Amino acid sequence: MTAVISNWSHDNQERAKRIIASYPEKRSALMPLLYIASLEHAYVSDDAMREVAELTGITPVQVQSVASFYTMFKRGGVGDYLVSVCTSISCYLGGADDVLAAVESSIGDVAGEAAAERPITVEHVECIGACGGAPAVQVNYELIEGVTPEKAVALIKWLTATRPEVILTDEMQQLFGGRRSFEWGSTDSEGAVRPIPAFGPYGSVGGGSVGGGSAGR
Amino acid sequence: MAEHGTVSIIINGVEHDVPEGERLITAAERVGEYIPRFCHHDKLAPVGKCRMCLVEVEGPRGSALTTSCTVPVTDGMVVHTETDVVKKAQEGILEFLLLNHPLDCSVCDKGGECPLQDQALAFGAGESRFIEEKRTFTKPIPVSELVLLDRERCVVCDRCVRVADDIAGDPLLEFIDRGSYVQINTFPNEPFSSYFSGNTVQVCPVGALTSVDYRFKARPWDLESVRSVSLVDSVQSSVDVHTSRGKILRVYGAENDAVNEGWLSDKDRFIFSAFRSPDRITTPLVRDGDGFKETSWSEAVELVAMRLGGHVGTEVGAIGGANGTNEEAFALAKFMRTVVGSPHIDAQLGDGLDPHLASSITARGTISDLDAASTILVWGPDLKETLPVLYLRVRKAVRNGAALVVVSPYSTGLDSIATHSLRYRAGSGPEILRKLAHGDAGYEAVTETLANGPVVALVGRSSITENPMLAEAVAAFARSLPHAKLLPLLTRANVFGALDMGLAPTLLPGRVSTGDAAGVSLLEDSWGPLPESAGKDTMAMLEALIDRDLVAVILAGADPIRDCPDPAVAESALDAAEFVVAFDAFMTDSTRKAHVVLPAALWGEVDGTVTNLEGRVQRLRRSVQPRGMSISVSAALDDIARAMGAELGAADWQLINKEIAAVAPAYAGMTADYLTFEAGEEGAVVPIPGATQPLGHIPVEVNVPVVTGRFTLHLAPALYDAGVLVRNSHMLEGFADPGVVRMHPRDAASLAVADGDLIDAEGVGLPVKIDPEVPERSVVITRNLDTTRGIAASADIRVETVRGEP
């Protein structure tokens, strides 16, 4: 079979081969390969789905079916900062809708050159496991609890103004957070450098610091 | 405890014995308790997706709601299908299903035959509490060139996805997104181009998937339905032909578990659009200079009678008859052997098999034998391209655990699911057969698989370039396998019926050899003396026309210039003939050379019986009137015979049908009445009990020469080619591939050509396609495309690089 993954980085191609070899059926490697594809391009493009289909011996639409089922596989371009506002029940009761509206309108406020250069993507998500600290927000999957609409606006302004290379949950919590669900203790997080969730077994801790790839950072 | 193989269950307080292991929903239906369903389909694996079939099943911890489509019956099972709990559950499910379903029944093709409509009425609450806005999508979107999708109507039952994946093996439809946004769709720019896409329209329980052609054409209550047979290939799938106001509007697969299990290929389903082609011949035509002029039937009949009567019988030949009914074929055979007095008749065009092997092989199997086979051997044409519904049946057997061995000169549709896929260079089939039959290093695993019976062997000619005697040798080998059943493969729609009716130089009606003195004298008792000389087959007839040993020829729906192995010979033969009369529905390369062209009715327009590749006879019913002045070949021959002063007894198909049952030994008792009142809609395999088949062909090992030469040729068949019906069907036209010459990378390198370079293949210029699936020193060209039909089907081929202009 002629591999069509030539536009993946060498590391990721090797990683893909290792992953496929670790399953008795090639198609079982589908999910981790989609994750590698996300590392490569920051989202799962149509081309990436074709690549994964070729690697796993299934059809592209079967890949798309899985990729589109799981919302953390992004199928469109994501900015350097992915701001996820939880709107599930606890956060909703804590005023998440206002937080979301505030974030969305402040994104509008910073539109223009600055936003185009380092765009922020906003999404609303279902429960992210921080109900005790509702309403909760994530930036590149790093958590902040007890966020108010005002703090959320400040967060967006801070992201736009300082453009942090590494997103650290403790730092954001201190600057923009409120009541926490409980004291998490000191995190050993290296922080997140890309809008990709951490997924240890397949080469990424803290949002792709190992992944590298072609994101140009 | 119930008797062996059954279990006893109690449904709504009544005890029933039902087959062990059957799904509860099917068992309940068997005993008259209908449980509503959307996702459940008898021929598809259970998924429990729609939840409509919830029933209460009593268990150790009280009764619980269970999906009856996923639960097998067990002994002593107590089931309630009509309690308040069940009713409430079903009402709830219907309310959910209808949340996003539009109320557009009045403009929906499914309205009137819609399971959702029907079951909402029968099992729904009647009112919805949902007052919010419904989900909408852009509509309709094409999922293929034949099928449209209205996503908002979908109830996510998974039937189309399972048809595409499990049945057809083309997983190109899937669920995209999730939750209330879930939809069925294809991958961007990768349409559901399957040979079986139309089946999704038929199984869709709502109006989500509709046929491009049928959309907005009719309401179901205006349709008349006629049970008939699809005369597209020799599987002869059972169909329901739906007509309105004298027009065929759609064709649905009919449940015939012995044949097609309800499935159809898109060619079966959509070819009828050719019937209403503006290019149909609708009046008799006689030659007038370079062209034709229209004439009346009586004048045409007089002319044909005079011209045929003006020759010695043995100077006349007849080619064709494999696309009509048994009655038409029988009338042609009788006309030739009695009225004309010629033994030169052949339903095959040099592209088939030995008639004895094809019609009368011993240990002949049936299609349903495949279900019970441990091992299936396929050595013949690519089933997916030639007999697609048989391909589905082989797929099913493999899905259920049968081992599959495919032997072919090129990749076939079955390779991906084959246990062993053996490839040989076109022309070297005898070598690989010897290795299989006598054992050879490297073939142990295949031999071991083939030793595991029962074996069903599908044996035919992989392409027109292959020596037809190879199939005889393969059949002899296959017969030696444990508990072997054989199915000879020919593809033309009613070729097996035509051979059984004696449309072969070596066969008389009812599987009697012309060399069988007792059989000959028995037929002479009713027909009078038969011609004594040996009959010529099609290629011999064409040669004889060139040599003037034959002077006149009848073409019965046959186009030898397209279909026989050597187009140039056929062309010279028809040019040399003093008189050519053609029965056809369309002008073809061959009919253009005829002196008289008679408009022939197509299979939706005639009544009769037909015989498929397993020897199963089914009723073909007329669903619409013949176009224009078209009539059946048999009725035309009856008129011509009368004008020649003879009585053919073929004015009416039922008369012929009775005569077949009387004089054709293998068809003894096989009357239309037997089919209607005894056999039922499944049809019956001849000979039926009480009848015997005189000829029992035992295939023998024959020494077939291996073809040498720099390049050998495999003329691969394709489902969508430039065949006359496909060409004239506005729905299927344009699906054919452009022709290419496929060759192995090393051969391309040795000729110094790359993909797309023009190459000269036996005088025909075609682009190269480098394809590692082609064995070395062999080329593969798709047969009968507009670009490839000039290539003679010789086993070796001259392939040269095209030199640039000097």
Side-chain angles (χ1 to χ4, degrees):
Chain A
M1 189 187 293
T2 47
V4 291
I5 54 167
S6 48
N7 59 343
W8 287 16
S9 72
H10 177 76
D11 280 357
N12 281 340
Q13 290 192 37
E14 290 303 311
R15 198 171 284 140
K17 281 183 203 156
R18 277 204 307 280
I19 291 166
I20 292 167
S22 64
Y23 291 97
E25 298 284 343
K26 277 196 291 185
R27 68 182 294 168
S28 307
L30 177 54
M31 299 273 287
L33 288 183
L34 283 170
Y35 180 70
I36 303 280
S38 301
L39 284 185
E40 188 67 42
H41 306 295
Y43 68 99
V44 183
S45 63
D46 286 359
D47 279 342
M49 287 191 271
R50 281 196 199 91
E51 287 159 2
V52 172
E54 183 106 347
L55 287 168
T56 50
I58 60 179
T59 58
V61 74
Q62 289 176 313
V63 175
Q64 190 191 3
S65 184
V66 171
S68 65
F69 182 86
Y70 294 99
T71 51
M72 281 164 75
F73 291 130
K74 303 300 177 200
R75 287 191 298 145
V78 173
D80 288 342
Y81 302 108
L82 175 64
V83 178
S84 313
V85 181
C86 175
T87 53
S88 280
I89 187 70
S90 292
C91 294
Y92 170 77
L93 293 174
D97 279 1
D98 296 336
V99 173
L100 182 61
V103 168
E104 279 172 345
S105 66
S106 67
I107 292 291
D109 288 347
V110 298
E113 220 168 278
E117 202 185 345
R118 309 195 83 178
I120 297 169
T121 303
V122 180
E123 63 174 0
H124 77 94
V125 292
E126 300 304 327
C127 187
I128 48 178
C131 304
V137 170
Q138 285 177 327
V139 178
N140 289 357
Y141 302 99
E142 297 288 314
L143 187 65
I144 324 165
E145 292 174 288
V147 182
T148 61
E150 296 73 31
K151 290 281 181 67
V153 172
L155 168 69
I156 298 299
K157 282 189 175 142
W158 175 74
L159 285 173
T160 315
T162 65
R163 303 171 187 180
E165 283 291 322
V166 181
I167 296 291
L168 292 163
T169 191
D170 286 352
E171 183 187 5
M172 291 194 301
Q173 182 67 37
Q174 213 154 22
L175 291 172
F176 311 107
R179 189 174 58 85
R180 305 193 83 177
S181 44
F182 58 88
E183 201 48 57
W184 296 88
S186 74
T187 59
D188 57 357
S189 168
E190 302 166 21
V193 296
R194 298 179 61 209
I196 307 288
F199 186 38
Y202 295 115
S204 169
V205 175
S209 59
V210 181
S214 56
R217 293 186 56 116
Chain B
M1 181 77 190
E3 65 180 280
H4 182 70
T6 68
V7 292
S8 176
I9 64 172
I10 297 167
I11 302 180
N12 299 339
V14 182
E15 193 169 338
H16 301 280
D17 284 353
V18 294
E20 193 177 356
E22 193 165 55
R23 304 281 154 189
L24 178 52
I25 194 169
T26 314
E29 191 172 4
R30 184 186 299 283
V31 299
E33 297 286 350
Y34 182 83
I35 300 169
R37 78 286 300 262
F38 295 107
C39 72
H40 170 79
H41 188 284
D42 281 345
K43 301 291 186 287
L44 299 173
V47 286
K49 277 232 164 159
C50 74
R51 321 306 289 178
M52 190 62 217
C53 67
L54 288 171
V55 296
E56 265 189 290
V57 177
E58 287 183 14
R61 282 172 289 180
S63 68
L65 284 170
T66 307
T67 48
S68 57
C69 71
T70 56
V71 177
V73 289
T74 53
D75 202 42
M77 189 181 249
V78 180
V79 185
H80 305 282
T81 69
E82 287 169 348
T83 57
D84 287 345
V85 173
V86 170
K87 197 167 175 322
K88 190 174 179 207
Q90 291 175 345
E91 283 177 359
I93 293 298
L94 266 170
E95 194 174 1
F96 276 129
L97 290 177
L98 290 168
L99 287 188
N100 276 314
H101 190 86
L103 291 175
D104 63 349
C105 305
S106 52
V107 294
C108 175
D109 278 325
K110 205 76 178 185
E113 56 177 4
C114 175
L116 183 58
Q117 214 176 26
D118 295 347
Q119 296 186 111
L121 186 68
F123 301 96
E127 261 176 59
S128 174
R129 290 164 286 177
F130 187 77
I131 52 166
E132 288 77 5
E133 199 171 318
K134 290 182 191 253
R135 173 196 61 173
T136 55
F137 287 105
T138 309
K139 67 177 276 174
I141 54 166
V143 292
S144 76
E145 290 180 72
L146 298 169
V147 180
L148 294 172
L149 170 62
D150 293 277
R151 288 168 289 181
E152 75 285 357
R153 291 180 185 153
C154 175
V155 293
V156 202
C157 73
D158 202 17
R159 278 187 181 184
C160 56
V161 175
R162 280 176 288 161
V163 166
D165 191 352
D166 299 348
I167 303 298
D170 298 315
L172 299 170
L173 272 183
E174 259 296 353
F175 294 111
I176 307 296
D177 294 334
R178 70 193 282 188
S180 62
Y181 299 102
V182 73
Q183 55 170 297
I184 295 291
N185 214 329
T186 60
F187 196 71
N189 303 320
E190 287 201 16
F192 178 41
S193 341
S194 168
Y195 286 169
F196 307 99
S197 66
N199 292 301
T200 59
V201 174
Q202 190 171 338
V203 300
C204 183
V206 294
L209 291 162
T210 50
S211 147
V212 170
D213 182 66
Y214 177 72
R215 202 172 163 87
F216 304 137
K217 282 274 166 61
R219 310 301 316 195
W221 51 85
D222 289 332
L223 295 177
E224 285 176 59
S225 177
V226 176
R227 172 72 179 250
S228 189
V229 171
S230 171
L231 267 198
V232 166
D233 60 47
S234 62
V235 170
Q236 297 183 352
S237 297
S238 292
V239 291
D240 290 317
V241 181
H242 295 158
T243 66
S244 175
R245 292 184 295 167
K247 274 189 182 157
I248 300 178
L249 290 187
R250 68 177 181 189
V251 171
Y252 263 25
E255 294 275 333
N256 184 346
D257 286 355
V259 181
N260 60 318
E261 301 190 298
W263 309 122
L264 292 182
S265 72
D266 285 353
K267 196 170 175 180
D268 285 317
R269 192 179 296 274
F270 297 119
I271 199 83
F272 72 86
S273 51
F275 291 18
R276 50 185 197 227
S277 158
D279 294 332
R280 276 286 292 273
I281 302 170
T282 52
T283 58
L285 303 169
V286 291
R287 176 159 292 284
D288 179 29
D290 285 342
F292 289 95
K293 65 171 190 223
E294 295 185 355
T295 184
S296 68
W297 263 107
S298 55
E299 275 179 36
V301 164
E302 284 299 328
L303 180 60
V304 173
M306 188 189 72
R307 297 296 301 268
L308 290 181
H311 298 294
V312 179
T314 50
E315 290 178 349
V316 181
I319 297 172
N323 290 320
T325 62
N326 289 352
E327 285 71 20
E328 288 176 293
F330 183 87
L332 180 58
K334 188 180 177 191
F335 178 80
M336 287 302 290
R337 289 191 197 274
T338 65
V339 180
V340 175
S342 168
H344 310 310
I345 40 184
D346 197 353
Q348 304 188 80
L349 282 87
D351 54 354
L353 298 174
D354 173 66
H356 287 195
L357 175 75
S359 75
S360 309
I361 196 167
T362 53
R364 189 169 180 176
T366 62
I367 291 172
S368 51
D369 282 338
L370 287 166
D371 301 347
S374 296
T375 305
I376 297 168
L377 169 65
V378 181
W379 192 332
D382 185 345
L383 289 186
K384 190 173 182 181
E385 303 292 341
T386 53
L387 301 166
V389 174
L390 192 61
Y391 160 83
L392 295 186
R393 196 65 167 242
V394 173
R395 275 189 59 85
K396 176 188 167 195
V398 172
R399 207 165 56 241
N400 292 337
L404 173 65
V405 178
V406 180
V407 192
S408 166
Y410 183 56
S411 60
T412 75
L414 284 169
D415 286 6
S416 61
I417 56 163
T419 320
H420 303 286
S421 171
L422 306 181
R423 193 73 46 81
Y424 61 92
R425 177 187 185 229
S428 70
E431 274 177 8
I432 198 166
L433 176 62
R434 193 163 51 244
K435 287 175 183 167
L436 282 178
H438 305 296
D440 197 79
Y443 288 80
E444 295 87 353
V446 187
T447 316
E448 203 172 300
T449 304
L450 289 173
N452 184 19
V455 175
V456 176
L458 310 179
V459 179
R461 213 167 149 185
S462 65
S463 99
I464 189 172
T465 55
E466 190 155 270
N467 188 325
M469 291 314 287
L470 180 64
E472 173 86 15
V474 171
F477 162 66
R479 202 168 164 274
S480 71
L481 299 171
H483 307 287
K485 293 271 181 64
L486 280 82
L487 271 172
L489 299 181
L490 290 173
T491 57
R492 215 166 260 125
N494 194 34
V495 63
F496 289 97
L499 294 175
D500 282 354
M501 294 303 110
L503 278 188
T506 57
L507 283 173
L508 296 175
R511 300 180 185 164
V512 178
S513 167
T514 48
D516 172 358
V520 170
S521 87
L522 201 66
L523 186 60
E524 285 183 333
D525 287 347
S526 39
W527 278 12
L530 296 172
E532 280 172 15
S533 53
K536 298 182 197 298
D537 66 12
T538 292
M539 286 317 287
M541 277 189 260
L542 295 174
E543 299 284 355
L545 283 166
I546 294 171
D547 298 339
R548 305 288 168 133
D549 292 338
L550 239 59
V551 293
V553 65
I554 299 172
L555 300 177
D559 183 0
I561 295 179
R562 275 281 170 131
D563 290 348
C564 87
D566 197 332
V569 167
E571 195 157 356
S572 320
L574 296 183
D575 282 334
E578 280 179 31
F579 183 64
V580 179
V581 52
F583 296 90
D584 219 314
F586 295 98
M587 273 297 172
T588 65
D589 293 350
S590 300
T591 55
R592 277 187 202 96
K593 303 213 174 273
H595 301 88
V596 179
V597 181
L598 301 174
L602 286 168
W603 52 267
E605 306 164 348
V606 293
D607 258 308
T609 60
V610 288
T611 306
N612 79 352
L613 56 84
E614 46 179 353
R616 178 178 305 276
V617 180
Q618 294 186 78
R619 267 284 271 124
L620 182 90
R621 291 190 181 84
R622 173 148 87 183
S623 46
V624 291
Q625 293 297 319
R627 272 286 290 279
M629 288 159 74
S630 310
I631 60 173
S632 68
V633 171
S634 48
L637 287 172
D638 191 70
D639 285 348
I640 295 167
R642 195 165 298 118
M644 292 170 76
E647 199 58 52
L648 192 62
D652 176 344
W653 75 272
Q654 282 163 314
L655 280 177
I656 313 171
N657 179 264
K658 288 199 179 77
E659 188 179 350
I660 295 171
V663 306
Y667 281 67
M670 177 45 82
T671 58
D673 282 350
Y674 177 84
L675 282 175
T676 308
F677 299 115
E678 305 285 332
E681 295 292 12
E682 275 204 352
V685 174
V686 287
I688 56 171
T692 49
Q693 167 180 330
L695 178 61
H697 179 77
I698 299 171
V700 289
E701 258 189 75
V702 282
N703 203 5
V704 184
V706 171
V707 180
T708 52
R710 180 151 185 227
F711 286 105
T712 59
L713 172 63
H714 176 66
L715 269 182
L719 188 67
Y720 300 130
D721 56 12
V724 65
L725 286 178
V726 175
R727 220 172 357 161
N728 282 288
S729 160
H730 72 264
M731 300 184 61
L732 302 178
E733 189 208 354
F735 287 2
D737 277 336
V740 291
V741 176
R742 294 174 185 277
M743 59 170 60
H744 193 273
R746 271 192 285 274
D747 289 326
S750 79
L751 288 168
V753 288
D755 263 344
D757 285 358
L758 208 59
I759 205 168
D760 181 319
E762 209 68 57
V764 177
L766 289 168
V768 170
K769 171 90 179 114
I770 295 173
D771 184 347
E773 296 288 330
V774 180
E776 276 186 76
R777 298 195 301 117
S778 178
V779 295
V780 175
I781 299 175
T782 304
R783 192 185 169 206
N784 196 18
L785 302 176
D786 283 330
T787 47
T788 65
R789 62 199 166 88
I791 296 172
S794 61
D796 57 355
I797 183 168
R798 185 179 53 81
V799 175
E800 279 170 15
T801 316
V802 176
R803 307 272 169 233
E805 292 293 316

